[in-house]
Amino acid sequence: GGPEPGSDAGEAGELVVKELDLASLRSVRAFCQEMLQEEPRLDVLINNAGIFQCPYMKTEDGFEMQFGVNHLGHFLLTNLLLGLLKSSAPSRIVVVSSKLYKYGDINFEDLNSEQSYNKSFCYSRSKLANILFTRELARRLEGTNVTVNVLHPGIVRTNLGRHIHIPLLVKPLFNLVSWAFFKSPVEGAQTSVYLASSPEVEGVSGKYFGDCKEEELLPKAMDESVARKLWDISEVMVGLLK
């Protein structure tokens, strides 16, 4: 929508809402096709959607839900939009991960969690995958003037935790704690906005941020061989390579 009549606001902006289901590769492909047909440029892509500690479920394509949505859906989305991002350069990609990546690891023998499923571990695995994806993508984008960085937003008051069961008697206390210590959605979005728009990070790529500052990563999140292997397997899983 444009500015209010008589206001001092600048040029009018426009918000367009489109359907995108990251649990469906078909939906991701349809969305990207529409984007490429309708949008002449793409300056910023923020991979922000996610699912958290859900019961064992599978996506439309048969992937474990957390790995399928949090990693594979975004992996395909980003790859299909890379051409437009490159032609729009300088442009930026922002990936939202989590501090909980520290408790995950990439088990190439059971990426789909069919041998065993732990909802907490699988969330952490998907968030570690976000970081490995970011670092490998940054390597591949060197010299293109497209940057990609990853962040953790902190604990934010959203409905991301809707699958967590909190006993009825504890809920009032939990609500009190969340209002006292959790970030509001606006506060939680600040690092994403910073990476998407701040001149301070122009040209910065492959880094991990929290509270608008670069942070250190554990060695397992910087393992280049694991990042490349995960990329190669992800390409096959989403159908980019046969």
Side-chain angles (χ1 to χ4, degrees):
E4 292 295 316
S7 74
D8 294 326
E11 62 184 69
E14 185 183 7
L15 175 66
V16 178
V17 179
K18 291 185 180 294
E19 183 179 335
L20 170 60
D21 180 1
L22 287 156
S24 162
L25 298 183
R26 177 181 48 79
S27 174
V28 173
R29 289 181 185 279
F31 170 84
C32 291
Q33 190 176 1
E34 217 174 279
M35 279 288 296
L36 296 175
Q37 286 171 350
E38 296 177 10
E39 300 298 333
R41 59 180 297 113
L42 177 58
D43 299 292
V44 181
L45 171 65
I46 302 179
N47 290 333
N48 179 63
I51 191 164
F52 177 70
Q53 294 193 14
C54 59
Y56 188 76
M57 299 186 281
K58 286 188 174 180
T59 68
E60 179 178 291
D61 304 279
F63 307 128
E64 185 274 312
M65 186 63 73
Q66 296 188 90
F67 189 74
V69 169
N70 298 354
H71 170 60
L72 292 173
H74 287 110
F75 179 87
L76 179 61
L77 176 77
T78 306
N79 272 285
L80 292 179
L81 295 176
L82 266 186
L84 186 56
L85 283 156
K86 287 177 181 176
S87 67
S88 307
S91 53
R92 303 181 184 189
I93 302 165
V94 179
V95 179
V96 180
S97 181
S98 165
K99 273 187 175 180
L100 294 175
Y101 86 86
K102 295 173 182 179
Y103 305 104
D105 63 56
I106 308 296
N107 177 7
F108 288 109
E109 304 306 311
D110 191 26
L111 280 180
N112 225 23
S113 302
E114 286 170 334
Q115 294 170 26
S116 66
Y117 180 69
N118 177 296
K119 62 185 183 181
S120 300
F121 167 79
C122 286
Y123 178 75
S124 295
R125 170 195 282 170
S126 72
K127 295 288 106 180
L128 174 59
N130 288 156
I131 298 171
L132 293 166
F133 162 66
T134 298
R135 291 180 57 81
E136 175 62 11
L137 181 56
R139 186 185 71 79
R140 290 166 179 255
L141 288 174
E142 283 175 12
T144 63
N145 219 1
V146 181
T147 61
V148 55
N149 291 290
V150 62
L151 68 109
H152 72 82
I155 305 175
V156 187
R157 285 192 304 274
T158 68
N159 68 346
L160 184 69
R162 62 190 176 277
H163 294 291
I164 306 298
H165 174 68
I166 297 166
L168 205 58
L169 290 173
V170 181
K171 268 192 176 168
L173 178 62
F174 176 81
N175 290 337
L176 191 65
V177 168
S178 72
W179 278 104
F181 298 107
F182 293 7
K183 292 180 178 180
S184 70
V186 169
E187 291 167 335
Q190 291 310 300
T191 307
S192 294
V193 173
Y194 172 76
L195 290 175
S197 60
S198 175
E200 290 178 21
V201 287
E202 189 175 337
V204 174
S205 196
K207 303 300 183 182
Y208 173 68
F209 287 79
D211 292 324
C212 301
K213 297 184 191 71
E214 189 181 334
E215 295 188 1
E216 293 292 315
L217 282 166
L218 294 179
K220 66 179 172 183
M222 298 188 290
D223 190 320
E224 291 181 8
S225 62
V226 171
R228 290 182 193 190
K229 185 174 179 181
L230 178 63
W231 183 285
D232 292 342
I233 289 173
S234 300
E235 279 188 318
V236 175
M237 292 178 83
V238 301
L240 286 173
L241 280 183
K242 298 299 181 191

